[in-house]
Amino acid sequence: MTTDPSARSPDAPLRSFGRIKSRPIKPRQAALFDTLMPSVKLPDPAAGPIDVAALMPGAKEVWLEIGFGGGEHLAVQAARHPDALMIGCEPFINGVASALRHIEEGGLKNIRLHADDARAVVQALPDGSLDRIMILFPDPWHKARHNKRRLIQPAFAAQLARKLKPGGRLRFVTDWKDYAGWALERFLATPGLVWMADETADWKVAPEDHVVTRYEEKRLGDTDPLFLEFERV
């Protein structure tokens, strides 16, 4: 598991996330990296294309959550949809530790984790393999000089669209007005993606299946959460 940014390839894209570790991980959660992580770890995307069907034979859907934070949303969705394979990516090691705890406590068998940059996973996934993509509260990089580090860039948006099946959905949620506008502009310019909003409530009111996380409750942004939902056509 790569946790040291200095170990990344010089050709790797700019980091789209901040810190990768904060407080010491609790002993119980640290132990899960040895006991549970090997069985739920996603294959290394650097090794080649990911065989989605082999990860969970018979899965009816495949979901990808980019930046799952503490794993609350990922775990709840996995419990609600036990027949769907849930792929979660998160470089923040404390968040991965928390997700492992949720997986163990919930007895969840349909989650696979990647403890690093999601962009490598997206590149390794087959085109047209995903039913849902969830990007909830990514690092906003709200200083103009740092905007180039934002996850949502034109090339990545186009790549996400290609990974979705026809009719697949992409949900982007942020509590920063500027990032919402930035992301909307780039997704609208992405061939194959259609914004599903018809009225203001469609992006200001949380979808019925939304799961409120501890991060969202902190209200760290400059607006209430904004929900942008797109469909692959």
Side-chain angles (χ1 to χ4, degrees):
M1 177 174 60
T2 300
T3 59
D4 181 5
S6 65
R8 297 175 187 275
S9 165
D11 298 324
L14 289 172
R15 268 179 52 174
S16 62
F17 47 87
R19 61 183 182 173
I20 59 173
K21 188 177 180 182
S22 60
R23 61 188 183 282
I25 298 174
K26 297 178 181 178
R28 176 192 168 194
Q29 294 182 356
L32 291 176
F33 278 97
D34 296 321
T35 60
L36 180 58
M37 187 64 171
S39 65
V40 302
K41 184 178 180 181
L42 196 69
D44 183 359
I50 295 174
D51 184 354
V52 177
L55 297 177
M56 183 179 164
K60 293 183 178 179
E61 294 188 349
V62 182
W63 293 30
L64 172 66
E65 182 169 349
I66 297 176
F68 57 70
E72 304 106 308
H73 176 271
L74 183 67
V76 171
Q77 296 291 8
R80 287 177 179 174
H81 305 276
D83 294 331
L85 168 64
M86 303 286 177
I87 299 173
C89 302
E90 175 59 59
F92 185 49
I93 301 305
N94 297 75
V96 177
S98 176
L100 288 171
R101 176 176 59 82
H102 286 302
I103 292 171
E104 181 190 48
E105 292 178 350
L108 303 171
K109 305 298 184 182
N110 57 330
I111 294 179
R112 300 294 180 269
L113 302 180
H114 178 67
D116 209 327
D117 195 325
R119 290 172 292 186
V121 171
V122 172
Q123 184 172 350
L125 287 171
D127 289 354
S129 62
L130 300 177
D131 295 271
R132 301 286 300 273
I133 297 175
M134 315 288 271
I135 306 173
L136 311 183
F137 305 101
D139 286 324
W141 296 103
H142 40 73
K143 293 183 179 180
R145 68 178 184 273
H146 292 154
N147 285 176
K148 61 187 176 182
R149 292 186 177 272
R150 285 177 167 173
L151 176 68
I152 306 306
Q153 304 290 343
F156 188 61
Q159 192 174 46
L160 291 175
R162 290 195 301 272
K163 303 303 172 177
L164 283 170
K165 298 176 181 178
R169 294 289 187 94
L170 184 155
R171 178 177 300 168
F172 177 89
V173 185
T174 183
D175 51 4
W176 290 92
K177 295 177 183 177
D178 177 66
Y179 202 2
W182 168 286
L184 180 59
E185 179 181 352
R186 282 148 183 80
F187 283 132
L188 287 176
T190 301
L193 289 183
V194 174
W195 190 23
M196 302 305 293
D198 292 319
E199 55 188 34
T200 303
D202 290 334
W203 69 84
K204 287 193 173 183
V205 177
E208 290 184 2
D209 65 345
H210 177 63
V211 178
V212 177
T213 64
R214 286 178 296 171
Y215 173 86
E216 183 176 342
E217 291 175 340
K218 292 178 182 179
R219 304 182 70 84
L220 298 177
D222 61 2
T223 183
D224 290 333
L226 301 173
F227 302 86
L228 306 181
E229 191 97 8
F230 303 87
E231 184 174 295
R232 177 75 165 91
V233 297

